[in-house]
Amino acid sequence: GLQFLGAHTGQDVPSQEKWAETMAWWDTCIAAHQAAGVKWIVQPWMGATGYESVEGLKNYCSYFNAVGEKCNAAGIRFGYHNHDKEFSTLLDGKPVYDWMLEFTDSTKVMFQMDLYWTVVGGKDPIEYFNKYPGRFELWHIKDKAEVGGEGTMMNFAPIFAERAKAGAKYGIVEVEEYNFPPLESCAKSIEHLKAAEYSKNNTVEKYIAEEILPALNIMEEHGFHPSFFAYPGSNNDELTDKALLKYFRHLRTGCSVSESMQSTERAFIKM
């Protein structure tokens, strides 16, 4: 059935006098969402303060960190959703979005990247995945019209290829301009994405091919097999130690980018 996974809501950054009142509003908001079983709360806008100066934006991000800390305590992720203005507005020569990624605490604030508005803002999502890996846990997946329809502008294949690096956990399909009734437009976009080769979850296969197997090959070349070693550093040469360390690092951390990778981690640990 239909699940309520997350919501868009929020409040403007409060003055010192309004801080307690605003935080109380968030307490009520978070409690209601927790009762509904949501996984995330996302604020999809900022007031003028966030676009006028670096100091004003820094205050906004400190506020978001505080809200994120409250959400964490309730088992909910807090995030921010962009439009194009975060990229087209420069503060001291740097886009607002870049400042936000630097000023927010990654443990408290994730980003729901709207892929379409990022491109409209003149930026490439992949550049952000490379520069700030793991920060983009949610994606808004859309085009100017229905995904895969006429008059579209997005090239999703290279973006989807980097979803593990982005840290993506969920994609939300959205339509900006409807050529059909809204539900029909969304259905057309979803069906196109389900059929597209680039949207299929080949993350595990790619990870094994590019990371795990090369490490295993190095170990086997030096007479080691995963069934026979206990830990890195046990009378091995430097090259083999590097291979073993890479292997363990991927088992313990690299696989945690998604649930599918976590299941792969468990499978490899049991070898």
Side-chain angles (χ1 to χ4, degrees), residues 6-71:
H8 276 190
T9 189
Q11 292 280 298
D12 199 2
V13 60
S15 63
Q16 187 173 356
E17 294 74 21
K18 290 283 189 179
W19 182 268
E21 179 183 335
T22 301
M23 289 297 106
W25 181 92
W26 275 109
D27 288 338
T28 302
C29 172
I30 292 167
H33 284 79
Q34 184 183 39
V38 306
K39 294 178 179 290
W40 64 79
I41 296 174
V42 173
Q43 176 146 334
W45 58 274
M46 284 193 300
T49 303
Y51 297 95
E52 293 173 343
S53 68
V54 172
E55 191 60 31
L57 179 57
K58 192 171 185 178
N59 288 339
Y60 233 119
C61 291
S62 295
Y63 163 58
F64 284 156
N65 285 335
V67 175
E69 187 171 356
K70 284 180 174 290
C71 285

Side-chain angles (χ1 to χ4, degrees), residues 8 69 109 136 216:
H8 276 190
E69 187 171 356
V109 181
F136 311 95
L216 293 178

Side-chain angles (χ1 to χ4, degrees), residues 9 45 76 95 116 143 151 197 208 224 242 262:
T9 189
W45 58 274
I76 296 172
Y116 170 78
D143 213 316
E197 189 65 30
I208 292 172
F224 288 85
K242 287 181 178 179
Q262 286 170 4

